[in-house]
Amino acid sequence: MIRSKGALKTSYIAIVVILIIVIAAIAIYFATMPKPTPTPTPTTPISPTPTPTTPASPTPTPTPTTSPPPPGLIPFRVTTSTPGSGTQKMMLEMTMVLKREMPKYDFLALTVPGYIAGLKMYCTGDAEAAYAYSIQAVQLYTLTGAFKGFEAKRIPSLLFTLTTFEYGIAIHQRDLGKITKWSDLDGKTIFMYPPAWGAHILYRDYIFPALGIKPNFVEIDFEMVGTALTKGDIVATGVYTSGGGRDLPPWVAEMTLTTPIAILNPTPDELAKLEAKGIKLFKVDLTKHKPFKTDVKAEFMYTAVLTTILFTDDKVFPEEDAYNFLKVIEKNIRELESIDPAFGQLAEDFVGLQLLGVEDMRSYYPNVPIHPGLVKYLKEMGKWK
């Protein structure tokens, strides 16, 4: 069949249109088809060549430690006592003055569970000095008690007496009339300071046995003592002043603001029993320096007195530096007293307190070594014996 020229022309146009549509569809398909993302070959980021390091090892439970001192400074770590204690507070305050006046040393106060732990840290080289009571230091010198079988790398000498602490007893005011003497605590639950403290040892092993009584001792966090007394979980607690009745430790001061306490004193018969056993208590006049800011229902408090002494040795702290340490504290004692009234005892008789520390320690251990820095200072004052 012969088609007309017009029909052929129409067919060609239709074929061209179809081809254009097909080509366009193919182009659109390839343009919109998602392209597979190639998995990249792992590469190491460009960075400076690292210095080889030792693989990290598990961190051990630390003894109180500190970061290294700034370059050029000599580290001088001093163990104090439990956070919130009077010794810790005073040493932190002293550190500010010592860093300013003796800039070649990096003085640092380390808080430890008690003086025994601090002495052991000194003896093993983990501290440069340690505070302790004479009743505890004598155990080190004689290798008895907490130091039985202990191997010391070094033995300290007596350098400086910081203060005295006067340890007494208090009850809740609601128990006034029910509990009237120390013997009433027999069989009762009481908090008598942390077990590692010298005052706890003194009451537990000497004072209460001399009275023939045996309270039940419990250990409580300082901030919970007032609550325990209020709830009746304990019937009595130890309380203490520092500097001859001038100040309170932070935890006792805070407790008295929320808990009405009353000082519990021994009776004349109890005092006689204690003196017969060679135990003499110190009577703190609470009206003189007014350490308690609330009414504790007493004008005085009978206390067991312990002298806080700083121990080190001349290999760690050379004679001249130790002598300068004493002179710096003496020179700045009024500044320290303005910060903390507990320093008032040192301000009143700096030399006398140093002699008291020596005599107190010698009463327990006559051969106690005395640091040559203290010897030089006392000779200069005309007080060395």
Side-chain angles (χ1 to χ4, degrees):
M1 180 179 63
I2 300 172
R3 294 184 181 178
S4 64
K5 291 181 179 179
L8 287 171
K9 186 178 180 180
T10 302
S11 297
Y12 293 149
I13 292 171
I15 291 169
V16 170
V17 169
I18 290 169
L19 287 172
I20 291 171
I21 291 171
V22 170
I23 292 168
I26 292 171
I28 291 170
Y29 171 78
F30 281 107
T32 58
M33 183 179 69
K35 296 178 181 179
T37 304
T39 304
T41 305
T43 59
T44 304
I46 299 172
S47 60
T49 304
T51 306
T53 57
T54 305
S57 56
T59 305
T61 304
T63 355
T65 55
T66 58
S67 55
L73 293 188
I74 302 171
F76 201 85
R77 300 160 296 175
V78 182
T79 65
T80 60
S81 188
T82 315
S85 66
T87 310
Q88 186 226 19
K89 177 169 67 86
M90 293 179 76
M91 186 57 207
L92 288 173
E93 292 156 349
M94 281 175 56
T95 297
M96 296 185 298
V97 170
L98 291 168
K99 285 189 173 185
R100 183 187 72 213
E101 300 287 338
M102 299 183 71
K104 77 175 185 179
Y105 282 96
D106 183 41
F107 289 96
L108 196 63
L110 297 182
T111 55
V112 295
Y115 289 152
I116 293 290
L119 281 172
K120 287 184 175 181
M121 285 178 65
Y122 170 81
C123 291
T124 56
D126 294 313
E128 282 67 55
Y131 278 105
Y133 294 136
S134 48
I135 194 174
Q136 295 160 320
V138 69
Q139 295 179 27
L140 169 60
Y141 291 122
T142 58
L143 295 178
T144 57
F147 291 91
K148 187 175 182 179
F150 178 72
E151 294 185 8
K153 294 180 181 177
R154 59 190 184 194
I155 297 295
S157 54
L158 187 161
L159 171 61
F160 168 64
T161 300
L162 174 66
T163 189
T164 59
F165 287 106
E166 301 83 31
Y167 292 92
I169 303 176
I171 59 174
H172 198 285
Q173 287 187 11
R174 66 165 178 266
D175 291 329
L176 282 169
K178 298 178 188 175
I179 300 174
T180 60
K181 56 186 182 295
W182 285 5
S183 296
D184 290 341
L185 302 178
D186 188 29
K188 302 291 195 303
T189 301
I190 68 173
F191 171 68
M192 212 62 195
Y193 316 107
W197 280 29
H200 177 93
I201 296 167
L202 193 58
Y203 273 93
R204 183 195 66 202
D205 296 346
Y206 297 93
I207 293 175
F208 289 147
L211 295 175
I213 66 174
K214 192 174 182 180
N216 174 37
F217 300 98
V218 293
E219 189 171 359
I220 307 172
D221 289 341
F222 285 148
E223 61 269 20
M224 298 304 297
V225 174
T227 301
L229 201 59
T230 299
K231 290 169 63 178
D233 294 336
I234 57 174
V235 301
T237 178
V239 292
Y240 66 100
T241 62
S242 60
R246 286 173 169 80
D247 195 25
L248 298 177
W251 72 272
V252 174
E254 290 167 11
M255 177 183 66
T256 60
L257 298 177
T258 57
T259 307
I261 66 168
I263 299 302
L264 179 66
N265 283 314
T267 63
D269 285 346
E270 289 174 330
L271 289 171
K273 281 185 181 180
L274 292 172
E275 288 193 17
K277 296 285 186 177
I279 300 171
K280 187 170 177 60
L281 301 180
F282 178 70
K283 187 176 180 180
V284 175
D285 182 356
L286 299 179
T287 66
K288 184 177 181 181
H289 299 292
K290 298 181 172 57
F292 291 96
K293 306 310 176 190
T294 57
D295 182 10
V296 293
K297 305 300 180 183
E299 294 184 347
F300 59 89
M301 176 172 70
Y302 276 102
T303 65
V305 178
L306 291 172
T307 308
T308 304
I309 298 169
L310 181 66
F311 294 88
T312 182
D313 72 76
D314 58 335
K315 292 182 179 64
V316 176
F317 206 26
E319 176 182 339
E320 195 61 27
D321 289 347
Y323 166 80
N324 288 334
F325 170 92
L326 295 167
K327 297 293 285 186
V328 162
I329 299 301
E330 184 182 35
K331 183 182 80 171
N332 293 278
I333 194 60
R334 292 298 177 187
E335 176 188 342
L336 289 166
E337 184 187 21
S338 69
I339 298 170
D340 186 343
F343 286 100
Q345 189 179 28
L346 272 172
E348 185 176 288
D349 189 0
F350 188 91
V351 177
L353 193 58
Q354 304 316 304
L355 291 172
L356 174 65
V358 172
E359 291 165 3
D360 181 45
M361 190 63 235
R362 280 181 169 167
S363 70
Y364 288 94
Y365 187 69
N367 296 322
V368 59
I370 309 298
H371 196 291
L374 176 58
V375 173
K376 178 178 178 178
Y377 173 80
L378 291 176
K379 283 182 175 178
E380 184 181 274
M381 297 293 112
K383 298 293 183 180
W384 175 247
K385 298 179 183 179

